[in-house]
Amino acid sequence: MELATKFHSSSFSIFNSPSYKGKAVAASPSSSSSLQLSKQWLGAGLSTRAATTAKATPSLRFLSRQRKSIISPVKCSVSQTTPAETSAEKKSQRRSDIRNIAIVAHVDHGKTTLVDSMLKQAKVFRDNQFMQERIMDSNDLERERGITILSKNTSIAYKDTKINIIDTPGHSDFGGEVERILNMVEGVVLVVDSVEGPMPQTRFVLKKALEFGHAVVVVVNKIDRPSARPEFVINSTFELFIELNASDEQCDFQSIYASGIQGKAGLSPDDLAEDLGPLFESVIRCIPGPRIEKDGALQMLATNIEYDEHKGRIAIGRVHAGSLRRGMEVRVCTSEDTCRFARISELFVYEKFFRVPVESVEAGDICAVCGIEDIQIGETIADKAAGKPLPSIKVEEPTVKMAFSINTSPFVGREGKYVTSRNLRDRLFRELERNLAMKVEEGESSDTFIVSGRGTLHITILIENMRREGYEFMVGPPKVINKRVDEKLLEPFEIATVEVPEMHMGAVVELLGKRRGQMFDMQGVGSEGTTFLKYKIPTRGLLGVRNAILTASRGTAVLNTIFDGYGPWAGDISTRDQGSLVAFEEGTSTSYAMASSQDRGQLFIGPGVDVYKGQIVGIHQRSGDLSLNVCKKKAATNVRSNKEQTVVLDTPMDYSLDDCIEYIQEDELVEVTPASIRMCKNPKFSKKGSR
């Protein structure tokens, strides 16, 4: 079967032929359209990789379709109708003056920085106005960690078109934010790093976008990096589309090369414009306007919730049909049977970087609604007389759970404002109103609650926010959520990708092997001497593995994970070989006691720190726990035997909330207060390992 590649209009087609002999033949271009892909990409890159993928991936379409192209000509005209349209869709129409897009990508691939440049070039801010970096990351926690946690709305005007932009998180733990945001948009801008290429979260967000049938514009970002490899990235992204069973039209994606930090983009990696004009043009041409029923009954799905001290709860979503007016009487529906009535007090749309009050909003636009005090995510704001609910938002189930309980340490109430179980309960259940991917259940006792999330980072962000709000509580170690199907125990598995220098690869492979990881891919990355490893590993094996990998690779490894699915129980996993150093009396630590204690292991505290009985003060150098007296003072006798000795103490180990969550085991707890983070032994467990 011969594989022939030819250019047509602004794209190319791959055909099957009965005489295929494993060779890729490139034809000459027949068009000079602005969207034409360069001959260099296809000659030795995409054609060869597509042929290679055809042998390895039986699901590729050209193995089962005779002389049918995988990629059809680019269809950027939103006026065209596809054969798959239903009769209801034919009755509706599209708005040509609005584009609703989501910026999606893997973490640290440059989404927020790209949005910064889009806002600046759209003249959202004055020329002399100072704006900090990563404007969309307005949350303090987002700025400290350098990641996006909550999705945020903004809009820009390009020529005569309003573009509503939604910046989304890149971490897999916050995938629930991405899933619900895709209900508001008609297309996505998929940002891919020019060196790393598609990563685990890239696969997740692209899979969800393709399931919704959204159009995709691929932006190869950070093209100015010295080790950029755009050919590899485009080829890998195309293969990812094929693996995810994208349609022919979706596979025919538009590629843009950009440098978000420089604010430049172009249709070729070697020929960038001085601005992001090519990106804006591609969004206008290749992402369709919203499909609306202008004269239909009002329908708006509440996709996000914000809270304002003066306005109360604010519902954010896209108007699917009809129009919404300030002061309008509406029906709020959760299903056909459960509806209630409400009144719209205020109405806002997003213009540039701000919410602007308006009198009415037409179908297709994204708006913010005030006046419905008990509105929840997933509910439909519908016409009072003839409104019907839209399908509710569904997100994937959580995979990790942690136990939250009131603080029972001797230091309870010293630093926190909210310490009772009622305070804890109210705060946790209030989180459910916004965080759809999280679940809260009652625990074994009245003061314990089980919080389930998409990963440890997902729950750790909640803990950090509660700590800053003045809450004081304790959390147990993370545990995976298992399932039992047909009397077989199943546990969650994840795909872990590790980028590590070759000199440290052996230590990383050994570490992941001990945690029941199975390697299924290994490849070199560029000329930087790094190796790219892919593992399928139980979620249990990833608990606490980040610090261990950094230690094994001397801080050079980069670990990324994404949920894959449930599989058979993989067996017992040993996550920690060393025990803890535990204080056996309450008091204040002294230099005299620390000098002898530091020989037993690595300490977490220095002299002059208040400790209590059962508090973990360090890591034991051997297995099993060891009780220490870190408060012992030198005897003040009248005997002048020797002069005072100079005590040299090691620097105590710094640890964050994430480090504590990774460190603790089944019989240990983390005490969280606004001012301190401590670890202690759980008094409910017997001291089997103490000596």
Side-chain angles (χ1 to χ4, degrees), residues 634-651:
K634 188 175 182 181
T637 63
N638 200 26
V639 179
R640 299 185 182 92
S641 56
N642 293 314
K643 64 178 182 179
E644 290 289 332
Q645 295 181 350
T646 303
V647 177
V648 180
L649 297 178
D650 297 335
T651 303

Side-chain angles (χ1 to χ4, degrees), residues 39 65 74 177 204 243 338 373 479 481 567 613 672:
K39 186 176 181 180
R65 297 184 184 179
V74 174
E177 289 276 319
F204 173 80
E243 291 174 16
T338 56
E373 296 181 357
K479 301 177 182 177
I481 300 175
K613 183 179 180 180
V672 181

Side-chain angles (χ1 to χ4, degrees), residues 607-653:
V609 177
D610 291 337
V611 299
Y612 56 83
K613 183 179 180 180
Q615 181 178 337
I616 297 174
V617 296
I619 304 175
H620 191 201
Q621 60 188 2
R622 297 187 178 89
S623 59
D625 298 335
L626 178 65
S627 296
L628 294 175
N629 186 358
V630 294
C631 305
K632 183 170 62 174
K633 298 179 180 179
K634 188 175 182 181
T637 63
N638 200 26
V639 179
R640 299 185 182 92
S641 56
N642 293 314
K643 64 178 182 179
E644 290 289 332
Q645 295 181 350
T646 303
V647 177
V648 180
L649 297 178
D650 297 335
T651 303
M653 181 186 295

Side-chain angles (χ1 to χ4, degrees), residues 499-506 508 528-531 553 555-558:
E499 189 176 344
V500 60
E502 290 182 4
M503 60 186 299
H504 301 301
M505 187 177 69
V508 172
E528 300 176 357
T530 58
T531 303
S553 63
T556 57
V558 179

